[in-house]
Amino acid sequence: MLTDARVYAYSAVLMGSPILLKLFEHNETLAGQVFRLIKQQENLFTVNRSGSEVMAINQAAGQHPVVVSQPVFDLIACAHAVSLLPDSRFNLTIGPLVKCWKIGFQGHSVPPAEKLQACLALTNPHDVILDPASNSVMLAKAGMEIDLGAIAKGYIADRVQAFLRQQGVNSALINLGGNVQTVGSPEEEASPGWAIGLKKPFGTADALIGVIHVADKSVVTSGIYERYFELNGVCYHHILDDRSGYPLDNELLSVTVISDRSIDGDIYTTLLYGMGVEKGIACLADSPAIEAIFVTRDKQVICSSQRHFSFSLLDADYRLAY
Ligand code: ADP
Ligand code: MG
């Protein structure tokens, strides 16, 4: 499909999310290869259908280790390491809680407290036993479930970026339902980079707070407005607190991370969500390659720094704070 002078946009719905690929040449074959790659990767990681390697681990919980392929082992090892960081709210064993709430999958009620407590007993990342010698993963307790929903898209976005580069593409963008990964800059003269919209929380589908300009970077947003339900004035969203069993409750509406790798963007959006603005900014002071934009309930937009992107505010309801 031709959208403007030279950009060709290809779309599909995969992993329950709209996927958009932008190229600067008309190349259906390449687009087809990208969508197939995404599908094939999703089949390794999904926990919503049997047959994936991650499902095999979950089904053997409390019984025996499962040998998995190298990429699946590596992604689980990475998610495990992040889960064990001090004060990390990222938890790869969040599966039982996610299933209990069913947020984004017809869940519209608050589960009973006893049920949430029972789930919490099954979400200790120390109960994941990894053996790099055999590439096997064992969940120590029956009922435990790994959920890679917070990072699979980032991992896959990086795979797509590597594939496009390997195919000789110098300029492209892939948007995996909120995970944007780019190759180079748009092929335009004097381009300020890719313009990536920062969504207005709870706004109409195309309402933006502002625009982020980047080149050769990943831009990942995680927001409470993406998947949620409301009950008695409370918004129950899909990023869960592994201490309480309830959605993480702080001043944030969304966190956007700008980084080279989309997997880092995914890891940090969840980590920073768990930290809140103050601790989040302090944490990023030590990682100059990772930058974030926090959007708060009191309508502030806070950038950790702007070394690798520029941001233009569009919505007068929000104000930039530093
Ligand atoms: P999306 O881009 O689909 O909105 P996110 O990257 O924000 O997803 O991650 C949310 C998903 O991560 C949830 O749907 C769930 O599968 C999983 N998840 C929820 N809470 C946690 C948590 N505390 N740690 C790790 N993963 C989580
Ligand atoms: Mg994420």
Side-chain angles (χ1 to χ4, degrees):
M1 181 183 63
L2 187 61
T3 52
D4 62 44
R6 298 180 52 211
V7 186
Y8 295 84
Y10 301 87
S11 56
V13 175
L14 294 169
M15 310 188 285
S17 300
I19 314 284
L20 176 73
L21 172 68
K22 284 188 184 176
L23 299 173
F24 286 85
E25 57 170 333
H26 179 54
N27 193 336
E28 300 265 359
T29 310
L30 186 65
Q33 286 172 320
V34 166
F35 291 134
R36 265 195 302 284
L37 173 64
I38 296 169
K39 186 83 208 136
Q40 174 217 339
Q41 294 294 314
E42 186 212 359
N43 287 340
L44 296 175
F45 300 115
T46 184
V47 288
N48 297 315
R49 252 178 289 119
S50 60
S52 81
E53 293 192 25
V54 178
M55 273 303 263
I57 298 168
N58 291 348
Q59 281 161 352
Q63 297 169 44
H64 57 82
V66 172
V67 174
V68 293
S69 62
Q70 194 68 49
V72 172
F73 186 84
D74 292 345
L75 192 60
I76 290 175
C78 167
H80 187 238
V82 176
S83 304
L84 296 181
L85 291 174
D87 284 329
S88 172
R89 296 278 63 80
F90 185 107
N91 187 331
L92 88 159
T93 61
I94 201 84
L97 267 184
V98 172
K99 293 268 163 77
C100 189
W101 281 92
K102 297 198 229 30
I103 293 172
F105 298 89
Q106 287 99 43
H108 294 291
S109 58
V110 177
E114 319 81 73
K115 250 182 133 179
L116 296 177
Q117 282 305 317
C119 288
L120 288 180
L122 299 170
T123 57
N124 185 345
H126 288 101
D127 291 335
V128 179
I129 302 150
L130 299 176
D131 178 16
S134 61
N135 270 1
S136 74
V137 183
M138 160 105 192
L139 303 179
K141 295 181 184 162
M144 284 181 70
E145 289 184 47
I146 288 180
D147 180 335
L148 299 176
I151 55 167
K153 283 195 286 191
Y155 172 81
I156 298 173
D158 291 337
R159 288 292 302 262
V160 170
Q161 185 200 47
F163 172 75
L164 289 169
R165 283 206 178 117
Q166 183 202 326
Q167 298 297 309
V169 174
N170 297 319
S171 184
L173 175 149
I174 182 88
N175 184 346
L176 295 182
N179 275 69
V180 176
Q181 181 55 291
T182 63
V183 178
S185 282
E187 283 183 8
E188 293 156 12
E189 272 178 48
S191 160
W194 298 97
I196 296 163
L198 177 61
K199 273 197 188 164
K200 180 168 179 160
F202 306 108
T204 53
D206 49 3
L208 300 178
I209 293 183
V211 177
I212 303 161
H213 283 103
V214 291
D216 234 354
K217 294 278 172 215
S218 155
V219 179
V220 177
T221 298
S222 198
I224 66 169
Y225 55 87
E226 284 169 53
R227 285 185 267 148
Y228 70 98
F229 65 87
E230 247 175 43
L231 195 68
N232 303 325
V234 182
C235 169
Y236 295 94
H237 62 86
H238 69 312
I239 308 168
L240 302 171
D241 188 334
D242 61 350
R243 292 164 302 189
S244 67
Y246 291 85
L248 275 166
D249 185 18
N250 59 24
E251 75 275 38
L252 290 166
L253 292 179
S254 73
V255 176
T256 299
V257 170
I258 296 97
S259 55
D260 286 326
R261 298 194 317 161
S262 201
I263 185 156
D264 292 329
D266 250 347
I267 290 170
Y268 272 91
T269 47
T270 307
L271 282 179
L272 295 172
Y273 213 98
M275 292 179 193
V277 178
E278 208 179 296
K279 280 193 185 160
I281 293 209
C283 160
L284 291 181
D286 301 331
S287 345
I290 313 275
E291 293 177 290
I293 304 174
F294 300 86
V295 177
T296 63
R297 288 181 200 270
D298 62 359
K299 298 204 161 48
Q300 298 192 60
V301 180
I302 304 161
C303 299
S304 66
S305 58
Q306 288 192 45
R307 283 183 289 260
H308 305 299
F309 71 95
S310 65
F311 179 73
S312 333
L313 187 71
L314 296 178
D315 189 305
D317 289 348
Y318 284 80
R319 64 188 177 84
L320 272 175
Y322 295 94

